[in-house]
Amino acid sequence: MDKFRLLFQHFQSSSESVMNGICLLLAAVTVKLYSSFDFNCPCLERYNALYGLGLLLTPPLALFLCGLLANRQSVVMVEEWRRPVGHRRKDPGIIRYICSSVLQRALAAPLVWILLALLDGKCFVCAFSSSVDPEKFLDFANMTPSQVQLFLAKVPCKEDELVRDNPARKAVSRYLRCLSQAIGWSITLLLIMAAFLARCLRPCFDQTVLLQRRYWSNYVDLEQKLFDETCCEHARDFAHRCVLHFFASMQREMRARELRQDTAGRDPEPPEGPEASDGPDGGSGKAHLQAISSREQVDRLLNTWYSSKPPLNVASSPGLWGGGLSHRAATVAPGTRLSQHTDV
C-alpha cells in the first residue's frame, strides 16, 4: 500500500506531461469499460428514457469527477480563488487559465464515453424509442395508440416475442441508430474543428499574456508544493528539538536525584555540562529554529502565510518577511524577537 500511495503522490505532484498521460489512461479505461459493459434496456415505457439517459450521462459525470480528483491543479485553483488578498493581489486571469487547463483534461474521458455511446447507438435507441413519431412509419397504421406505445417500448429488446422479426422494429431501430451516429460524428467533427482552429489561430495573437499566465500558474503550484515540503521538514526538526529537550531535562533531573542520594562525607561532584553536540539542535547547526520555540509561534507563522502571503518581490527588505519556516532564511539568534510578519 505504501508503494501505491507513493506512486499516487508522484502522479499527483508531477508535471504537465504526466497529467496528460493520466488523461489518456482514463480515456483508455473508459473505452475498456464501455466495451465490457453489458447493456440491457428494461423495455418499459416509463423506464427506457431514464435508463438510457442515465447510462449516457452518469458515467461521464463520474469520470469527470475522477479527472478533477486526479488533477492537483484543481485544488490549487480553488485555494488561489478563496485565499485572502493579504500582501499579494489575486489575478483572475491566472485562475481562468488554471480552470481551463483543469477542465480540458477532466473532460477527455467523459467525451470519449459519450462519443462511444452515441456511435454505438444502444443507449440512444433505448432512451428515445418511445418518443418516435409513428406517422413516419407505415407499419403502425393498423395499431391503436396504446399498442403503438407498447411496441415502441419493446423496440430495444429484439428478442421479445412482440417485436421479434418484425420489420417495423428494425426500421425504428435503424432510424434511431442512424440519428445517434449522426449526432456522434457531428460532435466529433466540431471538437476536431475547434481544436484545429485553436491550434492554428493561437500564434496570430499576442503570446505575452499567455506566457505570463502559464508562468504564474506554474509558480502557484510549485510554491504550494515547496511550502508543504518545507513545513514537513520544519515539523520534523521541531519535533526533534522537543524530544531532545525532553530527554535533556530528564537527564538533569535524574542527576539531581542521584546527587541528593549520595552519602554524607563525600563532596558531590559538579554535574557535567552537556556537550555542544547534545544541545537542543543535536549539533545540526540549524540555528534558525532557535527563534521558534512554542506552538503559538508556529500557529502565528502559518496564519500569517495564509492570511497575508509575502509580496512577489525577493528584493524587498528582509526585516519584513525574514526569519520564518524556510530553511533558507537568514540565521536568527536565540534571543531575537520575531517580527510580526514572517516569510513562511
Side-chain angles (χ1 to χ4, degrees), residues 41-56:
C41 186
C43 295
L44 298 174
E45 182 180 354
R46 296 182 179 181
Y47 300 103
N48 280 6
L50 183 62
Y51 182 79
L53 293 177
L55 285 181
L56 187 64

Side-chain angles (χ1 to χ4, degrees), residues 91-102:
D91 188 357
I94 298 176
I95 300 177
R96 289 195 299 267
Y97 181 86
I98 299 177
C99 181
S100 175
S101 177
V102 170

Side-chain angles (χ1 to χ4, degrees), residues 41-109:
C41 186
C43 295
L44 298 174
E45 182 180 354
R46 296 182 179 181
Y47 300 103
N48 280 6
L50 183 62
Y51 182 79
L53 293 177
L55 285 181
L56 187 64
L57 301 177
T58 303
L61 179 60
L63 293 171
F64 177 74
L65 296 178
C66 290
L68 292 180
L69 291 175
N71 197 338
R72 186 182 182 275
Q73 286 189 339
S74 59
V75 180
V76 175
M77 177 191 63
V78 176
E79 291 179 352
E80 180 67 16
W81 175 46
R82 295 293 301 171
R83 72 169 177 85
V85 177
H87 293 271
R88 185 187 304 175
R89 66 180 182 88
K90 291 193 287 187
D91 188 357
I94 298 176
I95 300 177
R96 289 195 299 267
Y97 181 86
I98 299 177
C99 181
S100 175
S101 177
V102 170
L103 290 179
Q104 287 177 10
R105 293 183 175 91
L107 287 174

Side-chain angles (χ1 to χ4, degrees), residues 303-324:
N303 180 67
T304 304
W305 171 263
Y306 176 75
S307 60
S308 55
K309 286 189 177 182
L312 298 176
N313 184 9
V314 294
S316 61
S317 175
L320 181 63
W321 293 95

Side-chain angles (χ1 to χ4, degrees), residues 211-268:
L211 292 175
Q212 292 173 350
R213 301 283 166 74
R214 183 184 301 171
Y215 176 87
W216 290 116
S217 64
N218 292 331
Y219 173 85
V220 171
D221 188 13
L222 291 174
E223 183 188 51
Q224 185 63 38
K225 288 189 289 187
L226 288 175
F227 182 78
D228 293 340
E229 294 174 1
T230 308
C231 282
C232 291
E233 187 178 355
H234 181 274
R236 186 181 298 108
D237 294 336
F238 188 72
H240 184 247
R241 286 188 63 222
C242 291
V243 172
L244 290 180
H245 185 270
F246 169 76
F247 279 102
S249 301
M250 292 297 297
Q251 185 179 16
R252 289 192 295 268
E253 184 179 353
M254 292 175 64
R255 287 180 178 177
R257 290 180 180 178
E258 291 177 358
L259 290 175
R260 287 195 297 267
Q261 293 176 359
D262 285 343
T263 58
R266 187 177 62 179
D267 295 335

